[in-house]
Amino acid sequence: MAYFLQQLINGLTLGAVYGLIAIGYTMVYGIIGMINFAHGEIYMIGAFICMIAFAVLGFMGIASVPMALLVVLLLAIILTAAYGWTVERIAYRPLRGSFRLAPLISAIGMSIFLQNYVQLLQGARVKAMEPVISGGFVLMRDGSFQVTLSYLQLMIMSVTVVLMAGFTTVIHRTPLGRAQRACEQDQKMAALSGIDVDRTISLTFVLGAGLAAVAGVMNTLYYGVIDFFIGFLVGLKAFTAAVLGGIGSLPGAMLGGLMIGLIEAFWAAYFDAAYKDVAAFSVLVLVLIFRPSGLLGRPKVEKV
Amino acid sequence: MAPQASSISAALREASLAAAVALVLALPLAGVRLPSGAAEPLAFRPWWVVAAVLAVFVGRFLIALHISTRRPRAFAAPPLFDRALGAMTPWRRWIFAGFIVAVALLPLMPFADRRMIDLGSLVLIYVMLGWGLNIVVGLAGLLDLGYVAFYAVGAYSYTLLAIHFDLNFWESLPLAGAFAALFGVLLGFPVLRLRGDYLAIVTLGFGEMIRIVLINWSDLTGGSEGISSIPAPTLFGLSFTANPAAGETAFHQFFGIPFAGVHKLIFLYYLILALALLTHVFSMRIRRLPVGRAWEALREDEIASRALGLNPVMVKLSAFGIGAMFAGFAGAFFATRQGFINPSSFTFIESAIILAIVVLGGMGSQMGVVCAALVLVLLPELARDLAGFRMLLFGAAMVAIMVWRPRGLLSHREPSVRLGDRAGGAP
């Protein structure tokens, strides 16, 4: 029971991070119907910026942890969002209205480019960081086994919840969210009624990249090691999460992320850790067979 | 046309904006280098940022100036590529035939050395993979990001059959293809009912799954060490070794010529050339069969094809399975050429390279695949010094070509079927 509870906590933490990334996939897919293959790399860049920012702050001698955390988070969000904006501007915007596979192939090229860009600039070796936040609550004792909820896990979950709430408000209550929903339904009609479609799509990429940056910061704090290749697998799993939850649906992305995180944690705990990625992808295939529109998605009818 | 003052100032504005963005982007990643170990200090590189910002400023300025002074599109001549292709089109068959003859004669030329023949067979592997994937992506319009998985299935099934069941190359080649096709059908069946992008991601996931299984199932696959001492193929029972085992005849003994290691390379070269040409002829002929026409119809308009009574799942499945089969053949050849295999030969990057060959060549264009394979395989081999920048340029080229020519370099595609005929023949 105690072991189960601990895995539940670990899985939820992991799932919160996947969920944050999955929102970026699901929003972009909802609006322009493309898989932003480079989104995993945006997350990786966010993680790198987080570690660099911590290193620079440490170099400047800023020691207050809450202060440093806030600065790092803001810097990572702003700088990563700039990457998201640039990627959209260079690789996707010129291809709008092109044939269907063109943006996806461009995105794959972008993803390869960004990986090698970071590898060339920062080197191929793993970068490590001292843990910034340590300690936690002991929730339960079972013999010698302790169930702990670390402060960091608590922080990751609460930041995710706050961001989710904020995002839902943005989508449902603000002019930007209205414009996004309009573009999702019909871009031409939205443009006719005075919505700047290009700007809305750009902002969607910026928001998605911002969330990926938060995920990158959280994961860097949680694991303490990063390299230039972390974006590939995490991106793939986050996309799986978005599909699982129903692509185009925000709560679905979060739900899918949590489920992928839980599946991975439990599979690694009770079965074979080497095959935990296989388990996550198998879930994707099963979902696509039995419920192609995902858990919370609506089936889309294709019209001529 | 001389640039006007207004267009220069507009270009300057654009360039300053781009330079500002470049500053933001370069500041963290280029300006600071994280230490890799505890002993290494944090390094600051301000000049890298300055260089990046300057490069972006100048580059953006020149592009903006070029665009503003360019004549309007309608009056511009068609791009150079299109004109060259248009001129070549009537001679297409002859150019292709001449090319095949040149490729076939290459190993016999006096200047051909071991390295050149070896590189030639490497290029031909990619040409064959490109043509195989072209059936899936170019003809049927299905985006397969895990093509390398079927390549791996072919390579491993050949190896395991050869080692555990003592089958020779010619016996296990069809089996390797069949296994790969079986995997293709098994994977394709659930996914092909869905939209193309899902297929892309599922095939990508499948490619990773195969690799993870190959690494972890050590009893069968040797784990990440892989399997070595894979038997080499024979020519009608003639082996290519200096001292053949008892009861075997070697190539040089049969023909009464002195032994030379290059014979085996030349044989491998012709073997992959034959396999590649088989792929080519197959995909050219199948376009004229009902199933090939169904692929192209489905690629162009799924709803219309469905309305005409095609079963999309079966049609796509056949394309997917046949594409996988050719990857299986190529995989078997790869295993026997290398003599050893391990999972690191079958990463996502391989899939991306094969896809890039198809896409850059112009989807559906057979000759385009050859050109793209030559460029993408030979350039990195020749420019070893640029190894670090190789994949960076590769990714940038994929983006640039999509932006510049979304239909690929040689995108002058002839429809396989047309209503009526330009020459006035019967349909």
Side-chain angles (χ1 to χ4, degrees):
Chain A
M1 179 62 203
Y3 188 60
F4 177 87
L5 194 64
Q6 184 67 60
Q7 296 311 323
L8 188 72
I9 293 172
N10 295 349
L12 285 177
T13 316
L14 196 60
V17 173
Y18 287 147
L20 286 177
I21 308 171
I23 290 175
Y25 280 108
T26 223
M27 281 197 315
V28 166
Y29 194 93
I31 287 198
I32 52 177
M34 74 166 276
I35 298 172
N36 180 11
F37 200 82
H39 195 59
E41 266 54 58
I42 295 288
Y43 151 81
M44 178 268 293
I45 285 178
F48 263 89
I49 290 176
C50 160
M51 206 178 258
I52 289 172
F54 264 117
V56 172
L57 285 182
F59 186 79
M60 287 171 13
I62 294 175
S64 146
V65 170
M67 173 77 184
L69 264 183
L70 198 67
V71 172
V72 165
L73 202 58
L74 279 179
L75 266 181
I77 289 175
I78 293 168
L79 296 177
T80 312
Y83 271 94
W85 183 84
T86 313
V87 166
E88 194 270 337
R89 184 71 190 77
I90 290 177
Y92 307 148
R93 193 183 290 181
L95 288 172
R96 212 157 286 154
S98 187
F99 80 116
R100 206 167 45 78
L101 295 181
L104 183 56
I105 290 161
S106 176
I108 295 171
M110 205 58 191
S111 152
I112 296 174
F113 176 84
L114 287 176
Q115 263 177 30
N116 288 277
Y117 166 80
V118 172
Q119 187 193 355
L120 277 174
L121 288 177
Q122 297 290 333
R125 282 163 63 192
V126 170
K127 312 278 179 187
M129 192 173 87
E130 296 286 312
V132 180
I133 307 171
S134 51
F137 306 105
V138 175
L139 295 184
M140 200 172 128
R141 276 174 215 281
D142 184 5
S144 63
F145 190 84
Q146 288 184 357
V147 181
T148 43
L149 171 67
S150 70
Y151 296 135
L152 195 56
Q153 287 176 323
L154 192 64
M155 188 183 98
I156 291 177
M157 287 182 209
S158 40
V159 166
T160 307
V161 169
V162 169
L163 279 176
M164 263 314 285
F167 245 74
T168 315
T169 324
V170 167
I171 297 293
H172 288 286
R173 297 279 151 85
T174 62
L176 171 64
R178 234 178 348 260
Q180 277 182 326
R181 280 179 289 142
C183 289
E184 194 176 332
Q185 285 179 4
D186 192 332
Q187 280 186 25
K188 227 175 251 169
M189 194 60 221
L192 282 177
S193 50
I195 290 169
D196 188 341
V197 175
D198 275 344
R199 186 172 155 272
T200 311
I201 293 174
S202 277
L203 280 174
T204 307
F205 274 85
V206 166
L207 289 177
L211 285 182
V214 176
V217 171
M218 297 300 157
N219 239 17
T220 309
L221 292 174
Y222 194 52
Y223 291 112
V225 283
I226 54 174
D227 64 42
F228 70 97
F229 200 60
I230 52 170
F232 179 69
L233 255 187
V234 172
L236 205 53
K237 280 187 210 150
F239 181 77
T240 305
V243 173
L244 180 59
I247 198 144
S249 144
L250 281 193
M254 208 59 234
L255 181 70
L258 290 179
M259 286 189 62
I260 293 286
L262 288 174
I263 289 167
E264 213 180 301
F266 282 117
W267 189 279
Y270 290 102
F271 301 100
D272 189 349
Y275 286 103
K276 67 182 182 359
D277 300 334
V278 175
F281 295 134
S282 310
V283 169
L284 174 66
V285 175
L286 289 178
V287 171
L288 288 178
I289 298 173
F290 292 110
R291 205 176 151 79
S293 53
L295 296 174
L296 300 183
R298 279 166 313 213
K300 225 176 195 167
V301 181
E302 213 168 316
K303 291 182 211 148
V304 182
Chain B
M1 196 164 85
Q4 289 162 351
S6 65
S7 64
I8 289 183
S9 69
L12 274 178
R13 231 184 359 258
E14 276 292 314
S16 316
L17 189 71
V21 174
L23 177 69
V24 172
L25 297 188
L27 208 53
L29 286 171
V32 186
R33 189 188 158 103
L34 282 171
S36 291
E40 225 177 300
L42 193 66
F44 292 95
R45 302 179 291 202
W47 291 111
W48 288 42
V49 180
V50 174
V53 170
L54 276 182
V56 168
F57 182 82
V58 173
R60 184 75 186 100
F61 178 71
L62 291 178
I63 290 173
L65 210 58
H66 174 73
I67 288 174
S68 69
T69 55
R70 192 173 57 186
R71 276 183 294 174
R73 255 280 152 96
F75 300 101
L80 195 64
F81 265 82
D82 288 336
R83 264 184 296 172
L85 279 173
M88 269 158 53
T89 307
W91 307 98
R92 230 161 31 118
R93 280 169 179 277
W94 294 106
I95 292 173
F96 195 75
F99 183 78
I100 298 289
V101 171
V103 170
L105 290 179
L106 176 76
L108 308 177
M109 292 290 149
F111 58 81
D113 54 359
R114 292 180 66 99
R115 175 148 186 269
M116 189 182 265
I117 297 172
D118 207 35
L119 263 182
S121 59
L122 185 68
V123 172
L124 282 171
I125 291 181
Y126 280 94
V127 170
M128 177 173 179
L129 285 170
W131 279 341
L133 185 61
N134 211 351
I135 296 176
V136 184
V137 178
L139 289 186
L142 306 168
L143 188 58
D144 184 349
L145 291 180
Y147 198 58
V148 79
F150 307 121
Y151 186 46
V153 168
Y156 272 89
S157 45
Y158 163 65
T159 306
L160 295 174
L161 285 171
I163 288 180
H164 295 297
F165 295 95
D166 225 15
L167 297 182
N168 70 27
F169 178 75
W170 298 103
E171 287 160 352
S172 35
L173 181 70
L175 288 176
F179 272 119
L182 180 71
F183 268 83
V185 171
L186 284 182
L187 174 74
F189 193 70
V191 196
L192 286 171
R193 293 178 301 163
L194 304 163
R195 268 194 60 180
D197 341 24
Y198 285 111
L199 179 71
I201 290 296
V202 172
T203 48
L204 174 59
F206 179 68
E208 281 300 299
M209 271 161 76
I210 288 271
R211 210 171 55 82
I212 294 169
V213 171
L214 288 180
I215 291 176
N216 288 304
W217 195 357
S218 315
D219 300 343
L220 188 68
T221 64
S224 43
E225 301 281 302
I227 307 174
S228 55
S229 64
I230 299 170
T234 55
L235 174 68
F236 299 112
L238 302 176
S239 68
F240 286 88
T241 46
N243 305 303
E248 262 183 37
T249 317
F251 180 78
H252 64 283
Q253 292 170 330
F254 188 81
F255 287 97
I257 48 174
F259 173 78
V262 76
H263 290 160
K264 183 180 168 192
L265 290 182
I266 295 179
F267 170 62
L268 286 175
Y269 180 88
Y270 281 120
L271 181 57
I272 184 66
L273 181 62
L275 285 173
L277 283 179
L278 174 76
T279 318
H280 171 70
V281 171
F282 182 89
S283 53
M284 289 314 278
R285 301 304 299 177
I286 204 165
R287 285 182 186 199
R288 294 160 197 258
L289 294 180
V291 60
R293 293 183 176 182
W295 291 344
E296 289 190 285
L298 211 63
R299 174 192 71 202
E300 296 304 331
D301 194 333
E302 180 161 346
I303 296 174
S305 326
R306 201 192 287 248
L308 290 173
L310 289 177
N311 179 350
V313 176
M314 293 319 287
V315 172
K316 286 181 187 173
L317 206 56
S318 59
F320 207 65
I322 287 172
M325 179 182 78
F326 283 112
F329 290 155
F333 175 79
F334 175 77
T336 190
R337 172 180 178 269
Q338 300 286 106
F340 67 92
I341 45 172
N342 63 15
S344 65
S345 307
F346 307 106
T347 54
F348 169 67
I349 284 298
E350 290 295 312
S351 288
I353 290 175
I354 303 166
L355 182 70
I357 285 173
V358 174
V359 171
L360 301 190
M363 278 180 251
S365 156
Q366 298 288 100
M367 202 54 204
V369 167
V370 178
C371 298
L374 274 172
V375 172
L376 286 184
V377 180
L378 278 189
L379 274 190
E381 287 292 330
L382 298 178
R384 281 274 171 207
D385 305 339
L386 290 174
F389 291 94
R390 177 185 159 205
M391 292 314 289
L392 185 84
L393 294 178
F394 181 77
M398 263 173 105
V399 176
I401 290 179
M402 274 301 112
V403 172
W404 176 50
R405 280 179 80 85
R407 286 282 180 184
L409 288 176
L410 301 186
S411 52
H412 201 76
R413 187 165 62 197
E414 286 283 302
S416 304
V417 199
R418 59 167 85 242
L419 278 178
D421 202 80
R422 277 183 304 185

mmCIF file of all heavy atoms in Angstrom, chain B residues 225-248:
data_model
loop_
_atom_site.group_PDB
_atom_site.id
_atom_site.type_symbol
_atom_site.label_atom_id
_atom_site.label_comp_id
_atom_site.label_asym_id
_atom_site.label_seq_id
_atom_site.Cartn_x
_atom_site.Cartn_y
_atom_site.Cartn_z
ATOM 1 N N GLU B 225 25.126 -4.817 -27.828
ATOM 2 C CA GLU B 225 26.328 -5.317 -28.504
ATOM 3 C C GLU B 225 26.008 -5.717 -29.937
ATOM 4 O O GLU B 225 26.843 -5.607 -30.825
ATOM 5 C CB GLU B 225 26.859 -6.553 -27.762
ATOM 6 C CG GLU B 225 27.219 -6.301 -26.337
ATOM 7 C CD GLU B 225 28.566 -5.634 -26.237
ATOM 8 O OE1 GLU B 225 29.537 -6.212 -26.732
ATOM 9 O OE2 GLU B 225 28.635 -4.533 -25.686
ATOM 10 N N GLY B 226 24.807 -6.241 -30.120
ATOM 11 C CA GLY B 226 24.421 -6.692 -31.441
ATOM 12 C C GLY B 226 24.935 -8.097 -31.727
ATOM 13 O O GLY B 226 25.358 -8.819 -30.818
ATOM 14 N N ILE B 227 24.884 -8.484 -32.980
ATOM 15 C CA ILE B 227 25.316 -9.815 -33.405
ATOM 16 C C ILE B 227 26.413 -9.635 -34.444
ATOM 17 O O ILE B 227 26.286 -8.783 -35.327
ATOM 18 C CB ILE B 227 24.152 -10.598 -34.030
ATOM 19 C CG1 ILE B 227 22.963 -10.602 -33.086
ATOM 20 C CG2 ILE B 227 24.584 -12.020 -34.362
ATOM 21 C CD1 ILE B 227 21.738 -11.229 -33.670
ATOM 22 N N SER B 228 27.468 -10.416 -34.322
ATOM 23 C CA SER B 228 28.527 -10.301 -35.339
ATOM 24 C C SER B 228 28.688 -11.629 -36.059
ATOM 25 O O SER B 228 27.963 -12.587 -35.792
ATOM 26 C CB SER B 228 29.832 -9.854 -34.690
ATOM 27 O OG SER B 228 30.155 -10.742 -33.656
ATOM 28 N N SER B 229 29.640 -11.690 -36.949
ATOM 29 C CA SER B 229 29.938 -12.841 -37.811
ATOM 30 C C SER B 229 28.689 -13.359 -38.507
ATOM 31 O O SER B 229 28.303 -14.508 -38.382
ATOM 32 C CB SER B 229 30.647 -13.963 -37.048
ATOM 33 O OG SER B 229 29.827 -14.482 -36.044
ATOM 34 N N ILE B 230 28.036 -12.450 -39.231
ATOM 35 C CA ILE B 230 26.895 -12.824 -40.050
ATOM 36 C C ILE B 230 27.439 -13.384 -41.362
ATOM 37 O O ILE B 230 28.329 -12.777 -41.959
ATOM 38 C CB ILE B 230 26.008 -11.587 -40.319
ATOM 39 C CG1 ILE B 230 25.499 -11.033 -38.996
ATOM 40 C CG2 ILE B 230 24.863 -11.934 -41.244
ATOM 41 C CD1 ILE B 230 24.834 -9.697 -39.111
ATOM 42 N N PRO B 231 26.951 -14.533 -41.818
ATOM 43 C CA PRO B 231 27.508 -15.101 -43.047
ATOM 44 C C PRO B 231 27.312 -14.204 -44.252
ATOM 45 O O PRO B 231 26.300 -13.498 -44.374
ATOM 46 C CB PRO B 231 26.746 -16.417 -43.202
ATOM 47 C CG PRO B 231 25.586 -16.325 -42.305
ATOM 48 C CD PRO B 231 25.944 -15.389 -41.210
ATOM 49 N N ALA B 232 28.289 -14.226 -45.155
ATOM 50 C CA ALA B 232 28.219 -13.409 -46.361
ATOM 51 C C ALA B 232 27.442 -14.156 -47.444
ATOM 52 O O ALA B 232 27.338 -15.387 -47.386
ATOM 53 C CB ALA B 232 29.629 -13.103 -46.842
ATOM 54 N N PRO B 233 26.890 -13.462 -48.400
ATOM 55 C CA PRO B 233 26.127 -14.146 -49.440
ATOM 56 C C PRO B 233 27.034 -14.870 -50.427
ATOM 57 O O PRO B 233 28.228 -14.607 -50.492
ATOM 58 C CB PRO B 233 25.392 -12.998 -50.127
ATOM 59 C CG PRO B 233 26.258 -11.830 -49.911
ATOM 60 C CD PRO B 233 26.918 -12.019 -48.597
ATOM 61 N N THR B 234 26.447 -15.777 -51.187
ATOM 62 C CA THR B 234 27.216 -16.515 -52.184
ATOM 63 C C THR B 234 26.580 -16.309 -53.545
ATOM 64 O O THR B 234 25.394 -15.992 -53.653
ATOM 65 C CB THR B 234 27.211 -18.009 -51.856
ATOM 66 O OG1 THR B 234 25.833 -18.435 -51.753
ATOM 67 C CG2 THR B 234 27.919 -18.295 -50.571
ATOM 68 N N LEU B 235 27.393 -16.489 -54.589
ATOM 69 C CA LEU B 235 26.888 -16.377 -55.960
ATOM 70 C C LEU B 235 26.683 -17.794 -56.478
ATOM 71 O O LEU B 235 27.647 -18.486 -56.791
ATOM 72 C CB LEU B 235 27.910 -15.607 -56.811
ATOM 73 C CG LEU B 235 27.615 -15.508 -58.303
ATOM 74 C CD1 LEU B 235 26.410 -14.638 -58.565
ATOM 75 C CD2 LEU B 235 28.824 -14.946 -59.031
ATOM 76 N N PHE B 236 25.471 -18.266 -56.554
ATOM 77 C CA PHE B 236 25.146 -19.645 -56.953
ATOM 78 C C PHE B 236 26.054 -20.638 -56.240
ATOM 79 O O PHE B 236 26.631 -21.528 -56.859
ATOM 80 C CB PHE B 236 25.262 -19.813 -58.472
ATOM 81 C CG PHE B 236 24.331 -18.917 -59.223
ATOM 82 C CD1 PHE B 236 24.817 -17.870 -59.986
ATOM 83 C CD2 PHE B 236 22.948 -19.104 -59.147
ATOM 84 C CE1 PHE B 236 23.956 -17.030 -60.662
ATOM 85 C CE2 PHE B 236 22.095 -18.264 -59.833
ATOM 86 C CZ PHE B 236 22.592 -17.223 -60.587
ATOM 87 N N GLY B 237 26.233 -20.436 -54.949
ATOM 88 C CA GLY B 237 27.032 -21.377 -54.177
ATOM 89 C C GLY B 237 28.524 -21.075 -54.175
ATOM 90 O O GLY B 237 29.287 -21.756 -53.494
ATOM 91 N N LEU B 238 28.959 -20.071 -54.946
ATOM 92 C CA LEU B 238 30.375 -19.724 -54.932
ATOM 93 C C LEU B 238 30.611 -18.686 -53.848
ATOM 94 O O LEU B 238 29.973 -17.634 -53.853
ATOM 95 C CB LEU B 238 30.804 -19.144 -56.285
ATOM 96 C CG LEU B 238 30.585 -20.033 -57.502
ATOM 97 C CD1 LEU B 238 30.966 -19.277 -58.765
ATOM 98 C CD2 LEU B 238 31.409 -21.293 -57.374
ATOM 99 N N SER B 239 31.499 -18.969 -52.914
ATOM 100 C CA SER B 239 31.723 -18.012 -51.847
ATOM 101 C C SER B 239 32.848 -17.066 -52.218
ATOM 102 O O SER B 239 33.561 -17.280 -53.202
ATOM 103 C CB SER B 239 32.047 -18.743 -50.544
ATOM 104 O OG SER B 239 33.296 -19.370 -50.678
ATOM 105 N N PHE B 240 33.003 -16.029 -51.420
ATOM 106 C CA PHE B 240 34.007 -15.006 -51.725
ATOM 107 C C PHE B 240 35.081 -14.976 -50.660
ATOM 108 O O PHE B 240 35.430 -13.931 -50.144
ATOM 109 C CB PHE B 240 33.341 -13.632 -51.858
ATOM 110 C CG PHE B 240 32.579 -13.489 -53.132
ATOM 111 C CD1 PHE B 240 31.260 -13.890 -53.203
ATOM 112 C CD2 PHE B 240 33.176 -12.988 -54.267
ATOM 113 C CE1 PHE B 240 30.555 -13.777 -54.382
ATOM 114 C CE2 PHE B 240 32.479 -12.877 -55.442
ATOM 115 C CZ PHE B 240 31.164 -13.270 -55.507
ATOM 116 N N THR B 241 35.574 -16.140 -50.276
ATOM 117 C CA THR B 241 36.638 -16.177 -49.280
ATOM 118 C C THR B 241 37.905 -16.686 -49.933
ATOM 119 O O THR B 241 37.873 -17.337 -50.973
ATOM 120 C CB THR B 241 36.259 -17.117 -48.117
ATOM 121 O OG1 THR B 241 35.753 -18.324 -48.687
ATOM 122 C CG2 THR B 241 35.221 -16.499 -47.238
ATOM 123 N N ALA B 242 39.035 -16.375 -49.278
ATOM 124 C CA ALA B 242 40.310 -16.795 -49.840
ATOM 125 C C ALA B 242 40.456 -18.312 -49.723
ATOM 126 O O ALA B 242 40.896 -18.978 -50.651
ATOM 127 C CB ALA B 242 41.459 -16.087 -49.120
ATOM 128 N N ASN B 243 40.091 -18.852 -48.548
ATOM 129 C CA ASN B 243 40.231 -20.283 -48.316
ATOM 130 C C ASN B 243 38.867 -20.867 -47.972
ATOM 131 O O ASN B 243 38.478 -20.881 -46.808
ATOM 132 C CB ASN B 243 41.211 -20.551 -47.170
ATOM 133 C CG ASN B 243 42.534 -19.885 -47.431
ATOM 134 O OD1 ASN B 243 43.170 -20.124 -48.449
ATOM 135 N ND2 ASN B 243 42.934 -19.007 -46.522
ATOM 136 N N PRO B 244 38.104 -21.316 -48.965
ATOM 137 C CA PRO B 244 36.757 -21.804 -48.685
ATOM 138 C C PRO B 244 36.798 -23.085 -47.862
ATOM 139 O O PRO B 244 37.783 -23.821 -47.891
ATOM 140 C CB PRO B 244 36.188 -22.065 -50.074
ATOM 141 C CG PRO B 244 37.368 -22.262 -50.936
ATOM 142 C CD PRO B 244 38.455 -21.422 -50.373
ATOM 143 N N ALA B 245 35.716 -23.330 -47.118
ATOM 144 C CA ALA B 245 35.621 -24.541 -46.307
ATOM 145 C C ALA B 245 35.554 -25.755 -47.232
ATOM 146 O O ALA B 245 35.291 -25.631 -48.429
ATOM 147 C CB ALA B 245 34.368 -24.469 -45.435
ATOM 148 N N ALA B 246 35.786 -26.926 -46.642
ATOM 149 C CA ALA B 246 35.794 -28.157 -47.438
ATOM 150 C C ALA B 246 34.444 -28.344 -48.113
ATOM 151 O O ALA B 246 33.392 -28.112 -47.516
ATOM 152 C CB ALA B 246 36.102 -29.341 -46.531
ATOM 153 N N GLY B 247 34.458 -28.739 -49.363
ATOM 154 C CA GLY B 247 33.210 -28.986 -50.084
ATOM 155 C C GLY B 247 32.642 -27.744 -50.724
ATOM 156 O O GLY B 247 31.648 -27.806 -51.429
ATOM 157 N N GLU B 248 33.266 -26.579 -50.498
ATOM 158 C CA GLU B 248 32.778 -25.346 -51.103
ATOM 159 C C GLU B 248 33.751 -24.896 -52.184
ATOM 160 O O GLU B 248 34.947 -25.156 -52.088
ATOM 161 C CB GLU B 248 32.702 -24.240 -50.046
ATOM 162 C CG GLU B 248 31.311 -24.037 -49.474
ATOM 163 C CD GLU B 248 31.305 -22.875 -48.492
ATOM 164 O OE1 GLU B 248 32.016 -21.889 -48.746
ATOM 165 O OE2 GLU B 248 30.619 -22.988 -47.476
#
